Amino acid sequence: NATSIFVSWEVPILNDLNGILVNYSINYSGIEIDTVPRVIYLSNPNLTNQSITLIDLEEYTTYSINVSSYTKVGKGPDAILTHRTNQDVPTDIPTSFSANAISPNIINTTWEPPTAYHLGGVITSYTLTYTGRERHSELKTKILIVLNGSIYITPALTDLQEDTHYLISVRANTSVGAGPWTNLTVHTPEDVPSSSVRNLTTSTEGLNATSIFVNWEVVGKCQS
């Protein structure tokens, strides 16, 4: 899995043993991130091929692995290699997520990737969803592709309703799958009416010669 590396090796050739093998040491630590170096000792080794599985590692991280053999006199030279763990899903939410209504119909959104320890691999895309709470609008989704570390499509939400609270959510994706959601709510401001009043009528019935009765219907909700 994404947190394990299988390591195998052969014993030194017989002429280079210079004694009886008493143990092996396996030293390993992450290169890109600051991980604490770890050491495992395998005691009483025989002269067959050896192997071990290193566990509890960080996802998608390159590890430096050193294997050494010991006689009772001391330690022999290191055999050194590097290996990267597999990718996994992100284990944390995108950071610094914010949204700002720049007009009654547009909300700009910004965020940063999850922290390095929680990326899980290469972020290939973000999933952005949004829906208006008061008007029970359908849930809309944008898939934002990441190319060379940058989002390919601008994460602006357009064609929104005025004076509406929008629930906006975003999560990061690797090639393995999706990470957890983070969300916030943003209120779009009011705007001028987009249509005239309805059913405008006038009447002079029952009025004097200097009066006109005017009646109409409102176009939407109004302040009480």
Side-chain angles (χ1 to χ4, degrees):
N1 59 33
T3 58
S4 303
I5 295 175
F6 177 76
V7 184
S8 65
W9 62 91
E10 298 178 0
V11 298
I13 60 177
L14 189 60
N15 289 340
D16 292 334
L17 285 176
N18 298 328
I20 299 173
L21 287 178
V22 293
N23 66 355
Y24 292 105
S25 67
I26 302 94
N27 294 262
Y28 59 103
S29 61
I31 294 177
E32 299 99 339
I33 59 178
D34 185 19
T35 60
V36 177
R38 293 184 240 179
V39 182
I40 297 174
Y41 291 97
L42 298 180
S43 300
N44 300 318
N46 55 40
L47 293 183
T48 62
N49 296 341
Q50 298 286 323
S51 64
I52 189 173
T53 299
L54 309 179
I55 61 174
D56 296 328
L57 307 179
E58 298 294 335
E59 302 90 344
Y60 200 60
T61 299
T62 301
Y63 280 83
S64 175
I65 304 169
N66 301 353
V67 178
S68 303
S69 55
Y70 288 75
T71 66
K72 64 181 180 180
V73 176
K75 172 178 173 289
D78 292 335
I80 303 173
L81 55 77
T82 59
H83 191 92
R84 184 186 291 274
T85 52
N86 293 329
Q87 294 197 63
D88 202 352
V89 300
T91 56
D92 204 356
I93 61 175
T95 60
S96 304
F97 182 33
S98 66
N100 179 41
I102 62 172
S103 79
N105 309 109
I106 300 175
I107 294 176
N108 275 347
T109 60
T110 61
W111 62 83
E112 297 293 333
T115 57
Y117 280 99
H118 301 288
L119 284 173
V122 177
I123 302 300
T124 57
S125 66
Y126 292 92
T127 304
L128 183 69
T129 66
Y130 57 102
T131 184
R133 284 186 161 180
E134 296 90 345
R135 307 192 184 194
H136 304 291
S137 62
E138 65 175 320
L139 183 69
K140 296 184 178 180
T141 301
K142 283 189 172 186
I143 303 297
L144 308 167
I145 306 301
V146 176
L147 294 177
N148 298 322
S150 300
I151 296 176
Y152 182 62
I153 303 174
T154 177
L157 312 181
T158 59
D159 299 323
L160 305 179
Q161 296 289 329
E162 306 85 353
D163 191 23
T164 301
H165 289 86
Y166 278 89
L167 176 64
I168 307 170
S169 304
V170 66
R171 67 183 180 185
N173 309 302
T174 66
S175 60
V176 178
W181 292 100
T182 181
N183 58 72
L184 51 75
T185 300
V186 178
H187 179 241
T188 54
E190 297 183 20
D191 201 356
V192 298
S194 55
S195 64
S196 62
V197 297
R198 298 176 296 173
N199 299 326
L200 177 63
T201 61
T202 59
S203 174
T204 56
E205 183 178 355
L207 300 178
N208 60 35
T210 59
S211 300
I212 298 176
F213 177 76
V214 182
N215 186 61
W216 65 89
E217 294 181 10
V218 296
V219 296
K221 63 182 178 180
C222 61
Q223 184 175 1
S224 59

